[in-house]
Structure formats: structure tokens, C-alpha cells
Amino acid sequence: MEAAERKKLIELTGATKIFGKGELENTVLNGVNLTIYEGDFLMIVGKSGSGKTTLMNTIGFLDRLTTGTYSFLGDDVSQLNENKKSDIRNQYFGFIFQQFFLIDSLNVAQNVELPLVYGGKLNKRERLSASEKYLGLVGIPEKVKAKTKELSGGQQQRVAIARALINEPLLIMADEPTGALDSETGNGVMELLKELNKQGKTIIMVTHDEDLLQYATRVIRMHDGSFVEEGAAG
Ligand SMILES: Nc1ncnc2c1ncn2[C@@H]1O[C@H](COP(=O)(O)OP(=O)(O)OP(=O)(O)O)[C@@H](O)[C@H]1O
Ligand SMILES: [Mg+2]
């Protein structure tokens, strides 16, 4: 499909992010323009410190822009207060991180259903059944009652992916999701993300690993606070 026909989810215009003041001032995003369309599997690459996580965090409402506009589903969201932003985050975003961030005192199903607990719409039995569904989808249905510490790294990341999916988010945000995994396990996680993207899920992912760019439908390379978009294989 041509990009022009696809739904625009996000549009950043003249986006800047400046950390610090005076001598310590550090411009990390320098007038970035970026449009994200439904169905994109967008990968962000670039050297350490080039601003990949900063860009992801501003898109995911974990951090705010210094200047510039942010349009989300057609609405200007650059000036929203923290409550409104966290509502949007909970409703529309699913996050996956390098270090999984599972809660060890909860079992696997309890971790997966956390976003539903915050959402407050489903009862306990419905939440468990949703957990089971998404653990099945990520390929570890037998781990429902397991302790997180008894899982391999790849299994833990699958739990984190199930947790990111359970709210049926519009966008998946993944910052180095394979960074803590060996390459074979990482490829398994990438295949899963690719399958989710084929089913229509929009994914934004940060990686250091050039070998993973093959999974993307779009690649942007960050450098000195801005980026260039490259052709992508996917
Ligand atoms: N909260 C913060 N306060 C001040 N400076 C910050 C903050 N977060 C990031 N920075 C600075 O912004 C720059 C970009 O950081 P960022 O984490 O976005 O890089 P990155 O591309 O994700 O790097 P890596 O590949 O190492 O994860 C760095 O110079 C960093 O020191
Ligand atoms: Mg980073």
C-alpha cells in the first residue's frame, strides 16, 4: 500500500529535545519531522547517545518535547497534562524493553494482566483468560502459573510481549527488545514481532543490531539530533 493511503497515527513536526541548560545544554532532537503510519514496522538505528531512546520516549509520552508539535490520531497532544498523557499511553501503547521489567513477586499470568488491572474494566477471571490467550499467542501457554525467575531470557521477553499486547494497543514500542538475548533467541522474538506486524500491528523499535533491519518496513538512522530514512527490505 502507498503510504498516502494509510492511516496517519503520529506526526512530529520540528520536534526538538534539549537536555540541560547553559554550558550543559545538549540538543538531542534537532527539528525532527516524522510521520508514522498504521502498519509500519519502523526501526530506529544509530550510535549510542544519538537519541534513539529519547525519540521513542517522546513518541510514547514517557518524555516531552522541548519545542515542536506532536499530533496523535490527528489531535495536537504536545500540551496535554500528565494525566491525559498516561491515559493515552495506557490505551494506545504497549511497551517492550531490553530488560523485560517483569515483577518477580507476581507469576507469569499476573504480570501479563497488569495493564488490565490498571485499566480496571475486567474481573479476575476475565483477566486470567486474556492472559492465557496472549501467552498462547507468544508461544508459551504452559507458563501461565510459572514464576518469572524460572523462565529463560527469551521466555521472559515473550511474557513482556504478551503484557504489551493485552490491552490491544495501536502501537508497540520496543527499545532494544533483543538486547539481552542471544542471537537465536532474539531471532525468535523478531519472528514474533514480524508476525504481529503482518497481522496489522504498528511497531516502532530501537536497535543496535544491523542484522535486524531486515525485519523493518522502514528504517531511520539517527545522527547529530536528526535522521535520514533509508530503504528497508521488509
Ligand atoms: N534524562 C536525561 N537528562 C539529560 N540528558 C539525557 C537524558 N536522557 C538522555 N540524555 C542524553 O541524551 C542523549 C541521547 O540519549 P539516548 O538515551 O536517547 O541515546 P540512545 O541513542 O538511546 O543511546 P543507547 O544506544 O546507548 O541506548 C545522550 O547524550 C544522553 O546523555
Ligand atoms: Mg537507548
Side-chain angles (χ1 to χ4, degrees):
M1 247 193 297
E2 291 301 315
E5 299 166 25
R6 292 189 291 136
K7 187 172 171 189
K8 230 185 237 188
L9 302 184
I10 285 173
E11 191 164 24
L12 295 178
T13 314
T16 71
K17 179 68 185 180
I18 302 170
F19 290 112
K21 286 205 166 71
E23 280 180 19
L24 297 176
E25 193 170 291
N26 182 8
T27 301
V28 178
L29 302 178
N30 191 4
V32 161
N33 299 315
L34 176 63
T35 305
I36 295 165
Y37 297 92
E38 188 162 41
D40 279 347
F41 192 156
L42 177 72
M43 280 200 204
I44 304 170
V45 288
K47 287 194 307 207
S48 182
S50 61
K52 305 182 295 297
T53 295
T54 304
L55 179 59
M56 284 275 277
N57 287 351
T58 56
I59 293 171
F61 296 97
L62 296 169
D63 201 353
R64 67 164 66 233
L65 293 172
T66 307
T67 62
T69 61
Y70 180 174
S71 160
F72 183 75
L73 298 177
D75 293 326
D76 180 1
V77 289
S78 28
Q79 305 304 326
L80 290 186
N81 66 31
E82 290 304 323
N83 277 342
K84 290 244 169 59
K85 283 197 292 187
S86 72
D87 286 348
I88 294 182
R89 203 161 54 224
N90 292 337
Q91 184 177 351
Y92 293 106
F93 291 82
F95 292 91
I96 305 168
F97 301 96
Q98 178 171 357
Q99 298 302 338
F100 323 135
F101 291 130
L102 301 180
I103 298 175
D104 291 335
S105 59
L106 301 177
N107 73 22
V108 164
Q110 289 166 332
N111 269 279
V112 173
E113 68 190 47
L114 271 180
L116 298 178
V117 175
Y118 299 134
K121 288 196 190 115
L122 302 181
N123 68 31
K124 206 172 165 187
R125 194 177 45 77
E126 291 165 328
R127 292 198 305 265
L128 178 60
S129 133
S131 268
E132 286 170 343
K133 173 180 159 190
Y134 284 97
L135 286 165
L137 192 86
V138 300
I140 48 169
E142 72 283 6
K143 298 295 183 188
V144 177
K145 293 273 150 60
K147 293 183 177 154
T148 58
K149 286 204 160 169
E150 292 166 359
L151 303 179
S152 71
Q155 290 167 341
Q156 290 187 53
Q157 194 57 303
R158 283 169 193 272
V159 173
I161 293 172
R163 181 184 57 190
L165 290 171
I166 201 164
N167 259 352
E168 305 200 345
L170 194 59
L171 283 129
I172 296 280
M173 310 281 288
D175 195 347
E176 299 274 6
T178 63
L181 306 174
D182 63 66
S183 64
E184 193 184 332
T185 311
N187 285 338
V189 165
M190 290 310 302
E191 288 296 335
L192 174 59
L193 293 177
K194 182 178 169 183
E195 186 52 39
L196 292 168
N197 177 248
K198 275 195 181 155
Q199 291 166 12
K201 202 54 91 187
T202 308
I203 302 177
I204 308 175
M205 172 176 154
V206 166
T207 185
H208 271 108
D209 187 347
E210 301 276 332
D211 288 343
L212 301 184
L213 299 184
Q214 55 171 312
Y215 291 99
T217 63
R218 294 175 64 191
V219 174
I220 61 179
R221 189 173 297 272
M222 302 214 42
H223 182 65
D224 286 344
S226 55
F227 60 74
V228 287
E229 179 150 359
E230 303 178 350

